[in-house]
Amino acid sequence: MLNSYPHQIESLKFALTHPRCALLLDMGLGKTKVDIDHSFMLWSKGRIKTWLIVCPLSVMDVWVDELHKHAQVEEYNLVTIYGSRLKREKLFFLLSELIESSDAKLVIGIINYDAVVAFYEELVKVSWTKITCDESTKIKNARTRRSKAVFKLAETLQVPYRSILTGTIMTETIQDTFSQYKFLDPSVFGVIFWRFKATYLVMGGYGGYEIVGYRNLADFNVRLRSRAIIFKAKDCLQLPAVTTQVRRIPLHADQQKIYNQMKKEAIVEIQEFICGSPPMQSVAPYVLTKIIRLNQITDGFLKMEDGSITTLPRSAKMDELAELLDDLVKEGRKIIIWARFIKSLDLISTLLANRRVAYGRLDGTVSKKTRDDYISDFKLPNGSKVLVGQPRTGGWGLNLTEATVAIYYSNEYSAEARLQSEKRIHRIGQMYPVLYVDLVAKGTVDEVILQMLNGKQRLTNIIMDAVKTGDNSKIESLFV
């Protein structure tokens, strides 16, 4: 509890009286520290001997660093479970040896969500006494293999202490809570989703598959809070101010011509597709592929049907980014540039290299060790000035408060991914005002996506609202 904020102390007290605890603290409020303090207090009282931390792959090293920071190294043995199957098997052997030894230290295992599926049989052989699910929205869909594996592991072993950590337990609708609480404590909302749906969701729309409202919210809130402590950043910290800036950039003439042609073809193809009376669940994915292609054009490239990629001669957003970077680098700012597509990151990397701006990359094409090296260099006062990444890879769990500017060259189609990436720089430790800049190609799908993110809507819902009417003008509005 050393160097704890009041909200962290209150959260810890709550956790100590609730063996199944949801730490619903906004990003940047230190919920990882609270969970670490909680686990070591349980260990000191003899209540737990083994602790499994399940988290996204990109957050595993964050946990290692936080443990070094908030716990005494002589109090625990740590095994991070990753790498090839052979390497992981050796790590499980080491884990079992540590548990069987007479050493009284707390034994901690850290593993990513998908690895729980791959190594379930090994994990279930360990007598885990506490399991933590960090960034627990990763298991918000009860039908995924990772969700099923984590739930089955906890229930098979009857793990007495469980915690979930997230600042956004409901990223889209209240149904997001069902699977997370199914892991945490099945007695709260049960284990059968259709009963949860019948109790709290009002269904309607085309075929009765859309959530059009909610019921029994007072009961829902009581049940949610029976296992949760909730803190919002605005109520706990005086963080520096945030400024959001949207730069709407007209496409260059040649780029606009390509966009208009692809838009026209997309609308015709969607109309023909709908006329074939396809299953409604296939409509949104089909339309989404058209939106993605148009989004790629605004980013400066064109992916052909055969998979080949053509870089456009000129990109309006890239030109705007170049001018913006020149100003920010001269000011001595540290900057993160987020983009949705790998090809976009390649184009941005080329721009930075041509301008002799030192940078690092946070995306799936870069090895974990190289990403860690890039981050370490970025954190140095005289290190690299720019990180370039995808929110779904680099936007989770990292503390990047050295940056004061985040530029969104293009956005993921997820409000949660956007929020997560924003909180990499606006969190505990940030000392300066923060600037978010959206580069939006004027009159394109970029505007639709930004509207969706600002309204915290699902892109698939926007698509279905436009398509189900059969109104051509509404279909066209998807592409502006």
Side-chain angles (χ1 to χ4, degrees):
M1 291 179 64
L2 293 175
N3 302 316
S4 294
Y5 288 90
H7 69 272
Q8 293 173 332
I9 295 172
E10 189 173 339
S11 298
L12 178 59
K13 289 179 179 177
F14 181 89
L16 288 170
T17 57
H18 294 77
R20 311 287 180 90
C21 178
L23 295 173
L24 307 185
L25 280 64
D26 267 359
M27 288 170 282
L29 291 185
K31 51 187 171 288
T32 303
K33 171 180 165 46
V34 173
D35 203 42
I36 290 172
D37 289 346
H38 176 241
S39 295
F40 278 91
M41 289 193 77
L42 292 177
W43 167 76
S44 68
K45 296 175 185 294
R47 295 180 185 175
I48 66 170
K49 295 181 178 179
T50 51
W51 177 25
L52 179 65
I53 301 164
V54 187
C55 62
L57 179 63
S58 61
V59 183
M60 290 177 68
D61 283 346
V62 175
W63 272 96
V64 174
D65 293 342
E66 290 294 299
L67 283 164
H68 287 327
K69 187 186 301 182
H70 300 299
Q72 299 298 317
V73 69
E74 62 271 13
E75 293 181 339
Y76 67 92
N77 287 311
L78 175 64
V79 178
T80 53
I81 305 164
Y82 67 95
S84 65
R85 173 169 285 277
L86 179 61
K87 183 175 182 179
R88 291 184 187 183
E89 287 175 351
K90 290 180 179 178
L91 290 171
F92 273 109
F93 179 75
L94 172 61
L95 191 64
S96 63
E97 284 196 323
L98 290 172
I99 294 171
E100 291 172 5
S101 72
S102 58
D103 195 334
K105 295 180 180 181
L106 176 62
V107 177
I108 305 172
I110 304 178
I111 193 168
N112 73 77
Y113 279 101
D114 291 327
V116 174
V117 178
F119 288 89
Y120 176 83
E121 293 303 326
E122 288 83 359
L123 287 167
V124 80
K125 294 175 183 176
V126 180
S127 299
W128 300 108
T129 45
K130 179 179 177 180
I131 297 180
T132 291
C133 280
D134 187 21
E135 306 291 1
S136 61
T137 53
K138 292 292 185 181
I139 56 168
K140 69 180 182 180
N141 185 342
R143 293 174 293 182
T144 62
R145 294 175 67 198
R146 67 170 68 136
S147 298
K148 291 177 180 178
V150 171
F151 172 69
K152 184 179 178 182
L153 179 66
E155 287 300 292
T156 299
L157 296 176
Q158 287 295 292
V159 178
Y161 292 93
R162 306 178 197 180
S163 60
I164 59 174
L165 279 59
T166 179
T168 52
I169 191 168
M170 291 176 278
T171 60
E172 294 171 349
T173 73
I174 66 173
Q175 70 176 336
D176 294 343
T177 61
F178 171 76
S179 183
Q180 295 172 74
Y181 265 59
K182 181 179 177 181
F183 157 76
L184 183 68
D185 190 341
S187 70
V188 178
F189 291 119
V191 297
I192 302 174
F193 179 67
W194 69 261
R195 288 181 178 169
F196 177 91
K197 184 168 73 171
T199 304
Y200 301 112
L201 307 181
V202 179
M203 309 302 292
Y206 187 88
Y209 293 116
E210 297 178 27
I211 299 172
V212 297
Y214 304 103
R215 57 166 69 95
N216 301 319
L217 287 181
D219 176 75
F220 172 84
N221 194 46
V222 168
R223 289 175 180 270
L224 177 78
R225 290 177 176 271
S226 69
R227 303 292 185 275
I229 185 161
I230 304 171
F231 280 107
K232 298 296 180 185
K234 62 182 178 63
D235 301 322
C236 302
L237 300 174
Q238 290 297 319
L239 291 173
V242 171
T243 300
T244 300
Q245 184 182 104
V246 179
R247 296 194 174 196
R248 291 182 168 84
I249 309 126
L251 294 176
H252 293 311
D254 290 345
Q255 194 178 9
Q256 186 71 62
K257 185 177 180 181
I258 295 170
Y259 185 92
N260 290 344
Q261 180 61 34
M262 293 296 294
K263 171 184 171 181
K264 183 178 179 181
E265 291 176 7
I267 291 170
V268 171
E269 290 171 2
I270 289 168
Q271 290 168 341
E272 291 177 349
F273 183 75
I274 294 170
C275 286
S277 300
M280 287 307 294
Q281 62 266 30
S282 68
V283 174
Y286 182 82
V287 177
L288 189 58
T289 61
K290 307 302 179 185
I291 290 176
I292 289 172
R293 293 197 70 191
L294 289 167
N295 200 181
Q296 291 168 343
I297 294 172
T298 68
D299 268 23
F301 67 97
L302 180 61
K303 189 170 184 179
M304 311 305 291
E305 295 289 348
D306 62 2
S308 62
I309 296 176
T310 300
T311 302
L312 302 183
R314 291 189 67 194
S315 166
K317 288 203 296 188
M318 191 63 69
D319 290 347
E320 183 71 19
L321 176 63
E323 291 185 16
L324 181 58
L325 280 172
D326 287 345
D327 292 337
L328 293 171
V329 171
K330 286 176 184 176
E331 292 175 7
R333 301 280 201 117
K334 293 248 183 181
I335 307 150
I336 301 177
I337 306 173
W338 299 113
R340 187 178 195 276
F341 305 106
I342 292 293
K343 179 62 178 177
S344 302
L345 301 184
D346 292 340
L347 295 173
I348 294 167
S349 297
T350 299
L351 171 72
L352 292 166
N354 289 341
R355 277 173 157 68
R356 300 180 183 275
V357 177
Y359 71 93
R361 282 184 61 155
L362 305 176
D363 64 87
T365 68
V366 180
S367 71
K368 180 177 177 296
K369 182 182 183 305
T370 302
R371 285 202 304 269
D372 292 343
D373 290 342
Y374 282 146
I375 291 169
S376 296
D377 186 58
F378 184 75
K379 289 178 174 290
L380 296 173
N382 296 319
S384 59
K385 299 297 183 185
V386 180
L387 285 177
V388 182
Q390 291 174 298
R392 63 177 174 268
T393 303
W396 296 77
L398 299 177
N399 186 336
L400 301 172
T401 51
E402 291 75 16
T404 58
V405 180
I407 301 172
Y408 290 86
Y409 186 77
S410 51
N411 274 294
E412 296 283 354
Y413 307 157
S414 161
E416 180 185 12
R418 172 61 185 248
L419 185 60
Q420 286 278 353
S421 64
E422 288 179 351
K423 293 302 182 182
R424 296 315 98 212
I425 68 175
H426 194 243
R427 57 192 295 121
I428 291 176
Q430 181 56 265
M431 304 298 292
Y432 303 101
V434 165
L435 173 65
Y436 302 134
V437 181
D438 280 284
L439 300 183
V440 174
K442 191 174 182 179
T444 70
V445 291
D446 286 6
E447 303 231 42
V448 176
I449 294 164
L450 189 60
Q451 176 188 349
M452 176 271 294
L453 292 174
N454 289 338
K456 295 184 179 179
Q457 298 172 277
R458 296 181 65 182
L459 187 56
T460 51
N461 288 348
I462 294 175
I463 290 170
M464 292 309 298
D465 286 344
V467 169
K468 68 186 180 183
T469 63
D471 187 336
N472 288 343
S473 65
K474 288 196 173 184
I475 295 174
E476 291 178 15
S477 70
L478 292 172
F479 311 105
V480 187

